[in-house]
Amino acid sequence: MIITVIVFCEIAFWVAIVSGLVLRYLARMPRAGLLVLALVPLIDLVLLIATAVNLRSGESATVAHSLAAFYLGFSIAYGHRLIRWADIRFAHRYADGPRPEKPHGAAYARLCWADVGRTAVAVAIASGITWLLVAWIADPARTAALETTYRWSGLVLAIEIAWAVSYTLSPRKPQVAYDGSPSAR
């Protein structure tokens, strides 16, 4: 059941973002679009409640419950950035907004390190949610599967750090257009 809720929440997340942007740019209703975009955190709340209720009802934890914790952590830590990313591209495509920049060099390395910070927040949230669920259920036999959250958190953060280090040591070069000038693509 929890996998179904996660899939539903992921679909609802993107439907809310696209609907908000359509209202904002195509329907020229910026306040309505902002209101729909503001609903995105409620989707996270639905997943958190569904996960807690599912475990509290006597269900044993599975890897899916860990996945729910990760989804919540990453949605909270990266949600604003994802909405901003989509907004910039939607504005460019449908509202004559500026072309999205593709950072390179030190600017890209800084973005990678900012992502390390976001990922650290995301895994801390996922681990914290997991810890709270384990404490709330208070049955180690039923919550043993949630222990994987901590190991996956460390692995995900290590990969993010390795990514940032690699682009710090070997920065991304700007793409060159066919005419020899740097491209904004």
Side-chain angles (χ1 to χ4, degrees), residues 2-79:
I2 210 66
I3 289 289
T4 304
V5 175
I6 293 170
V7 169
F8 169 79
C9 287
E10 181 68 15
I11 292 169
F13 176 83
W14 287 105
V15 166
I17 290 174
V18 171
S19 299
L21 295 174
V22 165
L23 286 170
R24 189 174 192 173
Y25 293 109
L26 299 181
R28 303 203 191 292
M29 299 170 62
R31 285 189 175 169
L34 186 59
L35 180 64
V36 171
L37 290 172
L39 295 175
V40 170
L42 292 177
I43 296 165
D44 294 335
L45 185 61
V46 166
L47 180 58
L48 181 60
I49 290 169
T51 302
V53 166
N54 182 257
L55 287 173
R56 191 63 176 187
S57 70
E59 193 75 26
S60 289
T62 65
V63 174
H65 293 88
S66 283
L67 184 60
F70 275 110
Y71 175 86
L72 287 165
F74 278 86
S75 181
I76 292 167
Y78 279 91

Side-chain angles (χ1 to χ4, degrees), residues 21 28 81 88 90 94 107 157:
L21 295 174
R28 303 203 191 292
R81 181 169 180 230
I88 289 168
F90 210 89
Y94 298 108
L157 187 56

Side-chain angles (χ1 to χ4, degrees), residues 60-150:
S60 289
T62 65
V63 174
H65 293 88
S66 283
L67 184 60
F70 275 110
Y71 175 86
L72 287 165
F74 278 86
S75 181
I76 292 167
Y78 279 91
H80 184 266
R81 181 169 180 230
L82 281 171
I83 292 170
R84 188 168 169 256
W85 175 89
D87 186 50
I88 289 168
R89 278 144 186 82
F90 210 89
H92 171 67
R93 176 127 176 135
Y94 298 108
D96 294 325
R99 176 184 289 274
E101 292 182 28
K102 189 160 189 172
H104 58 276
Y108 185 74
R110 278 190 300 278
L111 287 176
C112 289
W113 284 105
D115 282 348
V116 168
R118 284 184 196 91
T119 300
V121 168
V123 299
I125 290 169
S127 296
I129 289 169
T130 299
W131 183 84
L132 287 172
L133 288 171
V134 168
W136 189 46
I137 301 305
D139 184 351
R142 285 187 34 233
T143 58
L146 293 176
E147 297 297 323
T148 62
T149 304
Y150 306 121

Side-chain angles (χ1 to χ4, degrees), residues 175-185:
Q175 291 181 344
V176 178
Y178 291 113
D179 64 1
S181 63
S183 173
R185 290 180 80 171

